[in-house]
């Protein structure tokens, strides 16, 4: 891959030469600066709302996996965590994978949005306005705040088991887990934090996940839910979070969103 930062006369000439000798080439009309202005306009300056439906639910309820499954069924989706290379929590960094810079994140985001039909609903996971170090641009963030939402519900036990699988890359890296615990230690008693650390040392990760859910993440979710406007479009209760349950939840989502679009 060879690219030119500005895209002027010399790079245009090189593109012609490379094309003639058999390279696959493309030229971005107006160069990178024009592309960047377009991204900023569409994601920040444009005031028109996006047709967003939020997938909401407590930590560990497999929302990201449900969105992936929904996309396979033909729903329009926007996987923000995949674009940001981050799972959206203090434990969310992907080991060995760097997050994109803000400008690159916005380029990836607008590239995905530009491929969608913006008149139809787009399913997006409920997030805070930062996913790791990546900030959700203002147009999308306003649309998410105003969006109707569908809630995934599951008990702590299946969520705890699911998190151990979903965060499998961290299980073998105790220092990474302890570092994440240290970042939220200020919000909890010394006794609680020490018990969490003991669970890491004992490699009792399912129990640790359950404690983190009940003592940290569920209270955070309860407070954020109080600020969400309006009743949910629907609630989908899951007894377990295996592949079949995730696929079933995706199918229900498709039905709910399709019926809503037809009614409108």
């Amino acid at each position: 891959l060879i690219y030119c930062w500005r895209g002027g006369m010399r790079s245009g000439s090189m593109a012609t030469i490379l094309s003639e000798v058999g390279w696959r080439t493309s030229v971005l009309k107006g160069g990178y600066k024009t592309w960047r202005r377009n991204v900023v306009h569409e994601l920040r300056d444009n005031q028109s709302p996006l047709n967003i439906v939020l997938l909401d639910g407590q930590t560990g309820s497999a929302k990201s996996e449900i969105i992936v499954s929904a996309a396979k069924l033909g729903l329009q989706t926007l996987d923000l965590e995949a674009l940001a290379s981050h799972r959206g929590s203090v434990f969310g960094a992907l080991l060995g994978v760097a997050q994109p810079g803000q400008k690159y994140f916005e380029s990836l985001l607008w590239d995905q949005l530009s491929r969608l039909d913006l008149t139809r609903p787009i399913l997006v996971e409920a997030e805070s306005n930062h996913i790791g170090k990546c900030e959700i641009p203002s147009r999308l963030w306003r649309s998410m705040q105003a969006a109707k939402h569908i809630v995934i519900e599951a008990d702590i036990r299946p969520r705890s088991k699911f998190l151990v699988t979903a965060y499998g890359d961290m299980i073998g890296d105790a220092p990474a887990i302890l570092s994440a615990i240290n970042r939220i230690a200020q919000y909890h008693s010394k006794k609680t934090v020490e018990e969490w650390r003991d669970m890491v040392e004992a490699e009792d990760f399912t129990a640790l996940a359950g404690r983190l859910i009940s003592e940290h993440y569920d209270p955070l979710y309860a407070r954020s839910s109080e600020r969400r406007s309006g009743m949910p479009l629907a609630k989908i209760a899951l007894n377990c979070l295996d592949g079949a349950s995730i696929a079933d939840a995706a199918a229900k989502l498709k039905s709910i969103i399709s019926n809503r679009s037809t009614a409108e």
Side-chain angles (χ1 to χ4, degrees):
L1 173 65
I2 304 172
Y3 70 94
C4 174
W5 177 248
R6 294 187 180 276
M9 295 295 293
R10 287 173 295 179
S11 60
S13 299
M14 283 302 300
T16 300
I17 294 169
L18 291 171
S19 179
E20 288 178 351
V21 299
W23 288 58
R24 186 179 62 196
T25 65
S26 60
V27 177
L28 187 63
K29 186 176 181 180
Y32 172 78
K33 286 188 174 181
T34 297
W35 164 259
R36 178 62 188 164
R37 282 195 295 270
N38 185 58
V39 170
V40 170
H41 171 73
E42 294 296 345
L43 293 182
R44 296 188 179 275
D45 300 335
N46 191 331
Q47 298 298 307
S48 61
L50 295 163
N51 191 358
I52 300 297
V53 175
L54 282 186
L55 184 62
D56 202 359
Q58 294 167 311
T59 295
S61 54
K63 298 184 294 296
S64 296
E65 288 71 14
I66 292 170
I67 282 180
V68 171
S69 186
K72 294 177 181 177
L73 296 178
L75 278 178
Q76 293 200 129
T77 64
L78 191 61
D79 192 339
L80 296 177
E81 293 185 0
L83 294 176
S85 297
H86 198 281
R87 287 168 294 215
S89 73
V90 71
F91 294 87
L94 301 174
L95 296 187
V97 180
Q99 283 197 264
Q102 182 65 28
K103 289 182 179 179
Y104 186 37
F105 172 65
E106 292 178 7
S107 287
L108 293 172
L109 178 56
W110 178 242
D111 179 59
Q112 288 292 306
L113 279 170
S114 66
R115 298 169 189 268
L116 302 178
D117 180 352
L118 299 187
T119 66
R120 293 172 50 216
I122 303 168
L123 183 65
V124 178
E125 181 176 347
E127 305 277 1
S128 66
N129 66 338
H130 282 79
I131 306 174
K133 68 179 183 181
C134 294
E135 179 190 24
I136 297 176
S138 54
R139 182 187 181 192
L140 177 56
W141 180 241
R142 287 193 305 270
S143 300
M144 290 170 65
Q145 289 181 302
K148 299 293 185 181
H149 61 290
I150 298 169
V151 178
I152 303 296
E153 295 182 331
D155 290 335
I156 285 182
R157 181 172 294 182
R159 287 191 284 141
S160 300
K161 292 181 178 178
F162 176 81
L163 283 177
V164 172
T165 300
Y167 286 74
D169 59 325
M170 291 193 76
I171 296 303
D173 194 335
I177 300 175
L178 291 172
S179 176
I181 287 174
N182 289 340
R183 291 197 291 276
I184 60 174
Q186 61 181 310
Y187 305 110
H188 301 277
S189 69
K190 291 182 179 179
K191 179 177 181 294
T192 295
V193 173
E194 194 57 41
E195 288 171 353
W196 293 348
R197 290 171 177 153
D198 289 343
M199 290 177 181
V200 176
E201 185 176 348
E203 298 184 354
D204 194 357
F205 297 115
T206 302
L208 174 63
R211 289 283 300 274
L212 288 168
I213 285 172
S214 63
E215 295 169 355
H216 183 74
Y217 285 106
D218 279 3
L220 283 178
Y221 177 80
R223 289 194 290 273
S224 66
S225 295
E226 290 174 357
R227 296 191 294 268
R228 196 174 303 289
S229 60
M231 296 294 292
L233 289 173
K235 295 182 179 180
I236 300 174
L238 300 178
N239 295 321
C240 63
L241 295 170
D242 58 10
S245 298
I246 288 170
D248 182 58
K252 289 178 179 177
L253 275 174
K254 182 177 181 180
S255 176
I256 293 165
I257 293 173
S258 298
N259 290 339
R260 176 174 178 258
S261 298
T262 301
E264 291 178 349

